[in-house]
């Protein structure tokens, strides 16, 4: 049996590292042929290349390219967005584990080249949903979600009618842990610190998505992600707080049946699901033990104290470039928060004020999208304290 080739882009991060764990357990099934990472942790990229004998490596700068070339003989090293695009067209399955809008070349190139795209990088799909729609029907192309909620929905939709728009589905119900500030009132939230925001109760993830989880912007992004992935309007995508992170999301059918996917929170499960499809890999990551007590709770989200959720629905309602603006402004704000330039409250304020200044643009071409992203960042950066 020939092995499935895998390109893992964003190999040094949280999803990247967990994908490597899955690949280590399946050496006969998968061959890691390409990896890429950002500016930090070039040493880690080199170590991965050595361990898996990877021949093609993507780095963001020429300087990093030199470092990799010196450390490894006989490898091909590609640079920047062009390099990411090239690697994303080079393997059977492409795991997009890059964080933020920087993952865009991976998403577009993998689908355009007719590959299976195992997508963790939600930001590219949200910003570029119209462009993704144009390339995802390329022969052989397949878009499967690593994001745990969407992976759960992908599984729960297995019995649904294949007709576009899922007419027998009433709604998708995304679960959210609520993050570290669940239940905090307005006064307490004024004092929220970076260390507190980074201490997620149920998941260990990269810094950007951890902050997004604390503001509920992650769930807002996921509402748009679900709508784009499954072709279901956001009015049929709901959010429910579920502190245990065991029910990863649900599909409610028109007859009232709710189909859910459950496991312990462990990203190796959705990663293995996306790599193995249509087969299930036999590792039982996240398997539940029903011999010990297990309580599952569900609450409505606190929209007043966590306005990011309503902002995301509003961006979807506006359409066009608004989701791209929202996501770009959020990236700027989260980076500023992690750099301790703004308070936790200001993250969503910056997103909101940037979106208020949205300049309506359709997103039909890549250059229109890049311009929308640039403009939103410009406005968001200008609103940061000097
Ligand atoms: P992370 O910060 O841990 O890792 C990000 C990776 O992207 C690193 O390898 C980094 O080097 C790479 N990167 C950054 N800029 C790059 C660039 N310009 N070119 C190439 N590589 C670049 O982030 P993460 O938590 O692993 O998240 C990755 C993506 O997966 C995000 O979009 C996130 O929303 C999504 N996601 C993550 C989790 C999780 O459990 N961590 C769960 C669901 C979805
Ligand atoms: Mg998620």
């Amino acid at each position: 049996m020939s092995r499935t080739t895998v390109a893992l882009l964003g190999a040094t991060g949280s999803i990247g590292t967990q994908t490597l764990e899955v690949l280590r357990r399946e050496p006969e099934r998968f061959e890691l042929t390409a990896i890429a990472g950002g500016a930090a942790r070039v040493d880690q990229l080199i170590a991965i290349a050595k361990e898996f004998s990877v021949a093609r490596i993507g780095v963001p700068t020429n300087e990093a390219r030199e470092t990799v070339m010196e450390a490894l003989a006989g490898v091909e090293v590609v640079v920047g967005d062009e390099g990411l695009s090239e690697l994303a067209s080079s393997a059977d399955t492409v795991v997009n584990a890059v964080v933020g809008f920087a993952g865009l070349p991976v998403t577009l190139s993998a689908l355009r080249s007719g590959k299976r795209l195992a997508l963790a990088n939600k930001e590219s799909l949200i910003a570029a949903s119209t462009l993704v729609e144009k390339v995802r029907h390329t022969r052989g192309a397949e878009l499967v979600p690593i994001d745990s909620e969407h992976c759960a929905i992908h599984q729960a939709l297995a019995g649904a009618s294949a007709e576009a728009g899922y007419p027998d589905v009433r709604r998708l119900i995304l679960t959210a842990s609520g993050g570290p500030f669940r239940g905090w009132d307005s006064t307490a939230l004024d004092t929220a610190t970076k260390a507190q925001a980074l201490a997620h109760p149920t998941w260990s993830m990269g810094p950007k998505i951890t902050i997004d989880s604390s503001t509920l912007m992650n769930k807002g992004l996921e509402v748009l992600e679900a709508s784009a992935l499954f072709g279901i309007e956001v009015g049929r995508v709901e959010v429910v707080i579920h502190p245990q992170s065991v029910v990863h999301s649900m599909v409610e059918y028109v007859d009232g049946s709710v189909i859910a996917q459950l496991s312990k929170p462990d990203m190796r499960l959705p990663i293995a699901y996306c790599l193995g499809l249509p087969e299930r890999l036999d590792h039982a990551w996240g398997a539940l033990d029903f011999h010990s007590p297990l309580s599952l709770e569900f609450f409505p989200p606190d929209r007043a104290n966590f306005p990011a959720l309503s902002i995301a629905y509003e961006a979807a309602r506006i359409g066009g470039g608004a989701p791209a603006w929202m996501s770009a402004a959020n990236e700027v704000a989260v980076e500023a928060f992690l750099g301790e330039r703004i308070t936790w409250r200001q993250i969503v304020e910056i997103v909101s004020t940037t979106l208020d200044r949205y300049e309506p643009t359709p997103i039909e071409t890549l250059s229109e999208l890049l311009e929308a992203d640039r403009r939103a960042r410009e406005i968001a950066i200008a609103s940061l304290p000097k």
Side-chain angles (χ1 to χ4, degrees):
M1 191 178 81
S2 71
R3 293 191 290 170
T4 302
T5 56
V6 176
L8 173 55
L9 311 174
T12 58
S14 161
I15 292 291
T17 303
Q18 294 177 88
T19 304
L20 293 173
E21 285 182 40
V22 176
L23 297 177
R24 265 185 210 109
R25 296 274 281 269
E26 291 285 351
E28 319 238 292
R29 203 185 280 259
F30 302 111
E31 178 187 7
L32 183 61
T33 51
I35 55 173
R41 303 191 236 161
V42 176
D43 290 353
Q44 196 183 334
L45 210 55
I46 292 168
I48 298 166
K50 282 186 181 157
E51 180 189 344
F52 288 87
S53 305
V54 178
R56 311 185 77 186
I57 302 168
V59 291
T61 61
N62 284 319
E63 193 190 337
R65 182 174 188 270
E66 293 301 313
T67 312
V68 175
M69 300 280 275
E70 271 169 37
L72 301 167
V75 295
E76 182 193 348
V77 187
V78 294
V79 180
D81 285 1
E82 259 177 53
L84 283 179
S85 294
E86 208 178 310
L87 298 181
S89 69
S90 73
D92 302 324
T93 293
V94 177
V95 178
N96 189 353
V98 174
V99 61
F101 191 69
L104 180 68
V106 178
T107 294
L108 294 179
S109 170
L111 294 173
R112 199 184 293 123
S113 324
K115 308 299 185 187
R116 170 180 294 182
L117 172 63
L119 184 71
N121 178 269
K122 63 194 88 181
E123 296 93 341
S124 61
L125 175 62
I126 291 152
S129 61
T130 49
L131 305 183
V132 166
E133 203 47 45
K134 289 180 188 177
V135 289
R136 75 187 282 188
H137 305 292
T138 309
R139 199 156 163 249
E142 206 184 344
L143 175 48
V144 283
I146 285 181
D147 209 354
S148 56
E149 296 76 2
H150 306 76
C151 187
I153 289 171
H154 195 269
Q155 297 175 63
L157 281 174
S161 135
E163 222 179 298
Y166 293 103
D168 55 3
V169 168
R170 176 139 30 232
R171 53 188 179 141
L172 308 180
I173 304 162
L174 297 179
T175 53
S177 71
F181 302 139
R182 180 178 60 86
W184 285 36
D185 65 15
S186 179
T187 323
L189 287 171
D190 284 337
T191 70
T193 66
K194 175 178 158 185
Q196 288 167 332
L198 282 172
H200 196 281
T202 52
W203 294 98
S204 162
M205 311 179 285
K208 195 257 177 184
I209 184 175
T210 305
I211 300 305
D212 285 349
S213 300
S214 77
T215 58
L216 287 200
M217 179 52 85
N218 182 49
K219 212 50 54 179
L221 293 169
E222 289 184 353
V223 168
L224 293 163
E225 179 186 10
S227 173
L229 274 170
F230 303 110
I232 288 182
E233 64 279 13
V234 292
R236 285 202 285 153
V237 184
E238 289 180 23
V239 172
V240 62
I241 302 295
H242 166 52
Q244 292 79 17
S245 297
V246 166
V247 174
H248 295 296
S249 278
M250 304 177 262
V251 174
E252 185 187 290
Y253 286 83
V254 289
D255 62 358
S257 285
V258 174
I259 309 288
Q261 184 257 334
L262 283 70
S263 73
K264 286 182 193 156
D266 187 332
M267 288 308 294
R268 290 172 301 181
L269 191 163
I271 292 167
Y273 173 83
C274 289
L275 290 175
L277 261 179
E279 283 173 47
R280 295 222 179 225
L281 307 185
D282 183 5
H283 300 294
W285 276 305
L288 289 165
D289 173 11
F290 289 101
H291 295 102
S292 33
L294 176 64
S295 307
L296 304 174
E297 298 169 293
F298 301 93
F299 307 101
D302 174 356
R303 284 173 177 265
N305 279 315
F306 298 88
L309 205 49
S310 302
I311 292 172
Y313 280 98
E314 175 64 6
R317 195 195 56 74
I318 300 169
W325 273 59
M326 178 188 78
S327 186
N330 182 56
E331 280 191 42
V332 169
V334 169
E335 199 184 320
F337 176 71
L338 288 170
E340 299 186 84
R341 294 182 61 194
I342 60 170
T343 64
W344 181 83
R345 278 265 197 232
Q346 285 173 307
I347 301 173
V348 177
E349 279 167 18
I350 287 169
V351 176
S352 175
T353 54
T354 306
L355 202 57
D356 284 346
R357 295 183 55 194
Y358 169 59
E359 296 155 7
T361 35
I363 305 290
E364 294 301 330
T365 64
L366 182 59
S367 57
E368 283 168 346
L369 174 58
L370 296 177
E371 174 54 20
D373 176 76
R374 189 199 63 73
R375 185 73 183 123
R377 279 171 203 267
E378 186 174 68
I379 292 175
I381 288 168
S383 70
L384 295 175
K386 299 289 169 283

